[in-house]
Amino acid sequence: QVQLVESGGGLVQAGGSLRLSCVASGRTLGTYVMAWFRQAPGKERELVATITWSAGRTYYADSVQGRCTISRDYVKTTVYLQMNSLKPEDTGVYYCAVRRGDRVTYNYWGQGTQVTVSS
């Protein structure tokens, strides 16, 4: 089992920045992939970014490429999502999720943190 707790959401004006955090606990993450998803009202959940825990390889959705950075801290077992130049369309609930490196499905999810970007 992996427990995930997100924080860092809030209300920000367009053009501003936020840093989301996701603290993981419960087991070692050596072969796992960490991800941030988001879900806007009335829309499907979408993948924002991923990072492999061991090698630190990253992936970004086109919608956030160049504006967001995903990173991880081994000691704190925490994954971060630094979001800059925020746009109103970035508004939504952001979820942290984890899957095994050899699997496709994300098995563990956090409770989500709300990000609201005002125009």
Side-chain angles (χ1 to χ4, degrees), residues 1-6 22-25 27-37 47 49-51 53 77-79 95-101 103-110:
Q1 289 283 341
V2 179
Q3 292 79 44
L4 303 170
V5 179
E6 303 102 329
C22 172
V23 180
S25 62
R27 66 180 303 154
T28 56
L29 301 170
T31 61
Y32 281 63
V33 177
M34 312 290 292
W36 285 97
F37 287 80
L47 179 64
T50 67
I51 186 166
W53 187 257
T77 60
T78 300
V79 176
Y95 298 93
C96 179
V98 173
R99 65 171 172 86
R100 281 177 44 171
R103 303 287 175 85
V104 176
T105 302
Y106 287 86
N107 299 100
Y108 304 103
W109 294 82

Side-chain angles (χ1 to χ4, degrees), residues 68-79:
C68 291
T69 302
I70 188 170
S71 61
R72 80 268 193 251
D73 184 315
Y74 283 120
V75 174
K76 298 181 179 180
T77 60
T78 300
V79 176

Side-chain angles (χ1 to χ4, degrees), residues 53-69:
W53 187 257
S54 57
R57 289 190 299 269
T58 59
Y59 161 83
Y60 298 95
D62 289 343
S63 58
V64 302
Q65 180 74 47
R67 298 188 297 119
C68 291
T69 302

Side-chain angles (χ1 to χ4, degrees), residues 5-13 17-22 36-38 79-83 86 90-96 111-117:
V5 179
E6 303 102 329
S7 62
L11 173 64
V12 64
Q13 289 187 334
S17 298
L18 282 174
R19 189 178 79 157
L20 307 183
S21 300
C22 172
W36 285 97
F37 287 80
R38 67 185 180 190
V79 176
Y80 301 99
L81 185 67
Q82 176 68 43
M83 303 188 294
L86 284 162
D90 293 316
T91 293
V93 179
Y94 283 69
Y95 298 93
C96 179
Q111 82 287 353
T113 185
Q114 176 71 45
V115 171
T116 303
V117 184

